[in-house]
Amino acid sequence: MGALDRREQRVLRAIEKSMEADDPELAEQLRSVGGDAVTRLYRYAGWTAGPLILLGIGMGDALTLLTGVLLATWAVLGRIARTVS
């Protein structure tokens, strides 16, 4: 599924505003559903990457090292993307 075009974004904003006006508490709960889980996922990936990198270096295992580096890269880029958008 691709990104929404401008018309779809306008419709989505209208639905959000309507929901906010009808039930602000529900709108806030729905808005925060995915955000916290995704943020935790990036944090856990970052914390897991460090030991994997050290373990890969210590053991001389390229696959463990590569996994740690990829996790760290994904965590950093994901956090940057969430702060920019």
Side-chain angles (χ1 to χ4, degrees):
M1 184 169 183
L4 300 176
D5 63 24
R6 287 185 179 179
R7 183 187 60 79
E8 292 169 331
Q9 289 176 358
R10 281 194 304 269
V11 170
L12 183 59
R13 272 191 237 112
I15 292 170
E16 289 174 349
K17 287 179 182 180
S18 173
M19 182 182 290
E20 180 77 34
D22 290 343
D23 192 350
E25 186 177 326
L26 176 62
E28 181 58 36
Q29 287 176 353
L30 291 175
R31 199 177 295 119
S32 66
V33 167
D36 295 334
V38 173
T39 302
R40 275 195 309 270
L41 188 61
Y42 288 131
R43 187 179 317 126
Y44 294 154
W47 281 103
T48 305
L52 283 175
I53 291 171
L54 293 175
L55 190 62
I57 292 171
M59 291 177 35
D61 184 18
L63 185 60
T64 305
L65 178 62
L66 179 63
T67 303
V69 168
L70 289 175
L71 262 177
T73 304
W74 180 73
V76 169
L77 291 177
R79 294 288 293 203
I80 289 171
R82 287 188 57 83
T83 57
V84 169
S85 62

